[in-house]
Amino acid sequence: QVQLVESGGGLVQAGESLRLSCAASGSIFSINTMGWYRQAPGKQRELVATITPSGSTNYADSVKGRFTISRDNPKNTVYLQMNSLKPEDTAVYYCNARVTTGWRTPWNDYWGQGTQVTVSS
C-alpha cells in the first residue's frame, strides 16, 4: 500500500507564512502528478496546486502569486510554501499523489489524512 503523511499546518496570523510537506511511502513504483487540495467548513474540496514529475505547475487563481508548490522526486515529497496568508485560506489541506505500484499496474490516487491551516485576522 501507499501512505501519504502531511505536516506543517498550524495557526498563523494574516500575512504570515506556512510550509506544508507531504511524504509518500510504501509500495511505490512511480509517482505522476502530486498536488494539494483544501476543504473549508461547509465547502467542497478544491484544488490548490499541482505539480508534474518534470516540475510543471498549476495553481488555483485564488493562490497565484502567494503559494508555491515544489517536489523532491528522490524523496517522494511535495511541498507547499504559503505566503501572505489570508483568513479565507483557512481549511484542511490534503496532499494527493497519483501512484503506480508496479510495471503495467494501473495508476491510483492516494490522499493524506489532512492538516489544518487556520489564519486569524
Side-chain angles (χ1 to χ4, degrees):
Q1 267 294 352
V2 176
Q3 299 83 36
L4 300 181
V5 179
E6 300 129 335
S7 61
L11 171 64
V12 297
Q13 293 188 333
E16 295 185 340
S17 299
L18 277 176
R19 189 187 192 216
L20 305 182
S21 300
C22 172
S25 62
S27 302
I28 297 170
F29 180 77
S30 182
I31 303 179
N32 198 330
T33 300
M34 302 184 80
W36 291 94
Y37 293 73
R38 67 187 181 187
Q39 187 167 19
K43 295 187 177 182
Q44 290 188 332
R45 189 174 297 188
E46 63 176 5
L47 179 147
V48 176
T50 61
I51 185 167
T52 66
S54 62
S56 295
T57 58
N58 179 53
Y59 294 94
D61 288 342
S62 59
V63 307
K64 283 181 180 177
R66 300 187 298 122
F67 291 10
T68 302
I69 189 170
S70 60
R71 66 190 282 173
D72 185 331
N73 290 329
K75 294 183 178 180
N76 292 334
T77 300
V78 63
Y79 306 95
L80 186 67
Q81 177 66 43
M82 304 185 293
N83 298 330
S84 303
L85 282 161
K86 304 176 180 179
E88 50 263 43
D89 295 318
T90 295
V92 177
Y93 283 69
Y94 296 92
C95 172
N96 169 269
R98 178 152 291 190
V99 179
T100 182
T101 56
W103 179 250
R104 294 187 176 180
T105 301
W107 295 88
N108 288 300
D109 281 320
Y110 293 88
W111 294 89
Q113 79 285 358
T115 184
Q116 178 70 47
V117 172
T118 302
V119 184
S120 63
S121 56

